[in-house]
Amino acid sequence: MRVINSDVLLEGIILFVVTFYLSHVGALSRSYESLSLFWPVNAVLAGLMVRYTILDRKTHLIFIFLAMVCMDTLSGNGLWDAMNINLANIIFISLACYLIKSDVLFSWYKNYMRHSILSRRLINTLPACFIACALSALWGAIASDGMVNKTFAVGWCDWFTEQFATGMLFLPLMVTLPHINKIRLPRFSIIRIFSLLALMLSLVVSSKIDGIIGLILPLPALLVCAWQYSFFPTALLTLLTGITQIVMVANHKLAIPGLNTLVSIDPLTLGRLIIAVMAICPLLVAINLSSPRNIPCVQ
């Protein structure tokens, strides 16, 4: 009989507590047609497993799954429904972690292996997040079919956009998380201060402009921030901007229209998708400019 190492057990317990807390945060925002406004737990855990490889163990997925099921059952869902729904979360975490850490997505590109390990993982983030979101949303839409009064296509879109938005906002931040003893405040210059002020001003102005124009208004300021700051501060600013915009859309402070195509897409779903695409742009700029900067080494 195989005995679990005490260190593995301690790591599992810590992940259980972190997962339970983040799941509780997501459950508190379940006010929009049964989906959470934010569900950060998947992206945060996947990013931690990428950033700290010691956490990437199959045993830890069991602790994570148990914490999610416990949180859902305490929130009033049945045990079977909680297990089915949270299996979609496990699919995202395991698949995103594997695809970001491996080189299978871009192994065909001859210049890909010339990049550093961290740069390759950042490059992998976009397609890994997209694939993980699509497959986890597939299971999530199937599992929630009897719980939510929605068609399969609408359910899949809701799952995909919610996961894709939070994934593109949180994953880059977690992947580049610096060691605590290497955290330094950035040196401020006139252009860096003005880029921050421009970002804050664009968020204020965007709340006064309806439509997609208002939603993408902070993008130029984010690109300037990506040019001026190292990757981690850029990822943090992108995360805070995206969260602010999602809250504004959900509370009708920033009005954008829905889409009535083959699938009816509500404003929040469309807003999440646009915010996820916006988050990619500073990521690409930061990757291109990161070589001369101090970015954290990967353990």
Side-chain angles (χ1 to χ4, degrees), residues 2 21 42 50-51 89 94 98 117 143 188 239 243 246 250 261 282 297:
R2 188 175 179 179
Y21 174 75
N42 293 351
V50 171
R51 183 66 184 84
N89 296 327
S94 56
Y98 169 74
I117 294 177
F188 285 98
L239 170 65
I243 290 176
I246 290 175
T261 53
C297 60

Side-chain angles (χ1 to χ4, degrees), residues 45-118:
L45 291 174
L48 284 175
M49 289 181 172
V50 171
R51 183 66 184 84
Y52 304 102
T53 54
I54 193 173
L55 298 177
D56 185 15
R57 303 175 189 268
K58 294 179 180 178
T59 309
H60 291 157
L61 290 175
I62 299 175
F63 286 94
I64 292 170
F65 182 70
L66 289 175
M68 290 179 174
V69 171
C70 288
M71 184 63 244
D72 258 1
T73 52
L74 290 176
S75 299
N77 292 326
L79 179 60
W80 179 250
D81 289 336
M83 292 175 67
N84 267 331
I85 290 293
N86 286 295
L87 186 57
N89 296 327
I90 297 298
I91 291 172
F92 176 92
I93 294 169
S94 56
L95 192 56
C97 181
Y98 169 74
L99 292 176
I100 292 174
K101 291 177 66 175
S102 68
D103 298 318
V104 297
L105 293 172
F106 291 100
S107 57
W108 52 272
Y109 182 50
K110 61 180 180 181
N111 292 325
Y112 171 75
M113 295 304 294
R114 297 179 183 178
H115 292 277
S116 66
I117 294 177
L118 179 58

Side-chain angles (χ1 to χ4, degrees), residues 31-295:
S31 58
Y32 192 82
E33 296 186 5
S34 83
L35 274 182
S36 296
L37 191 61
F38 298 106
W39 189 256
V41 59
N42 293 351
V44 170
L45 291 174
L48 284 175
M49 289 181 172
V50 171
R51 183 66 184 84
Y52 304 102
T53 54
I54 193 173
L55 298 177
D56 185 15
R57 303 175 189 268
K58 294 179 180 178
T59 309
H60 291 157
L61 290 175
I62 299 175
F63 286 94
I64 292 170
F65 182 70
L66 289 175
M68 290 179 174
V69 171
C70 288
M71 184 63 244
D72 258 1
T73 52
L74 290 176
S75 299
N77 292 326
L79 179 60
W80 179 250
D81 289 336
M83 292 175 67
N84 267 331
I85 290 293
N86 286 295
L87 186 57
N89 296 327
I90 297 298
I91 291 172
F92 176 92
I93 294 169
S94 56
L95 192 56
C97 181
Y98 169 74
L99 292 176
I100 292 174
K101 291 177 66 175
S102 68
D103 298 318
V104 297
L105 293 172
F106 291 100
S107 57
W108 52 272
Y109 182 50
K110 61 180 180 181
N111 292 325
Y112 171 75
M113 295 304 294
R114 297 179 183 178
H115 292 277
S116 66
I117 294 177
L118 179 58
S119 295
R120 293 203 303 268
R121 291 180 178 179
L122 292 174
I123 294 169
N124 290 339
T125 298
L126 169 59
C129 186
F130 185 90
I131 294 170
C133 288
L135 293 180
S136 67
L138 182 64
W139 182 265
I142 294 172
S144 60
D145 184 50
M147 300 170 60
V148 183
N149 187 23
K150 294 181 180 180
T151 64
F152 174 81
V154 173
W156 184 89
C157 285
D158 288 348
W159 273 84
F160 175 81
T161 56
E162 191 277 329
Q163 289 296 309
F164 193 50
T166 53
M168 289 310 303
L169 291 174
F170 279 94
L171 275 173
L173 184 78
M174 302 308 299
V175 170
T176 59
L177 192 66
H179 294 283
I180 191 168
N181 59 344
K182 292 185 178 181
I183 296 177
R184 299 289 186 273
L185 289 175
R187 294 180 180 177
F188 285 98
S189 61
I190 296 297
I191 192 169
R192 287 186 171 183
I193 293 173
F194 272 107
S195 63
L196 281 177
L197 292 175
L199 180 59
M200 290 186 287
L201 180 63
S202 65
L203 283 172
V204 174
V205 174
S206 67
S207 64
K208 309 298 181 182
I209 303 175
D210 291 338
I212 296 175
I213 299 297
L215 198 61
I216 65 174
L217 191 64
L219 182 57
L222 276 175
L223 295 179
V224 175
C225 289
W227 173 47
Q228 286 297 313
Y229 292 93
S230 60
F231 194 85
F232 181 74
T234 301
L236 181 59
L237 290 173
T238 304
L239 170 65
L240 296 176
T241 302
I243 290 176
T244 303
Q245 290 185 302
I246 290 175
V247 171
M248 286 196 299
V249 173
N251 290 284
H252 308 290
K253 301 296 184 182
L254 201 165
I256 60 173
L259 289 179
N260 290 312
T261 53
L262 294 177
V263 178
S264 179
I265 301 178
D266 61 75
L268 182 58
T269 300
L270 180 61
R272 282 170 172 162
L273 186 59
I274 295 172
I275 290 167
V277 175
M278 279 179 52
I280 297 169
C281 299
L283 171 65
L284 296 177
V285 172
I287 289 173
N288 289 328
L289 298 175
S290 63
S291 54
R293 298 190 179 163
N294 294 321
I295 50 180

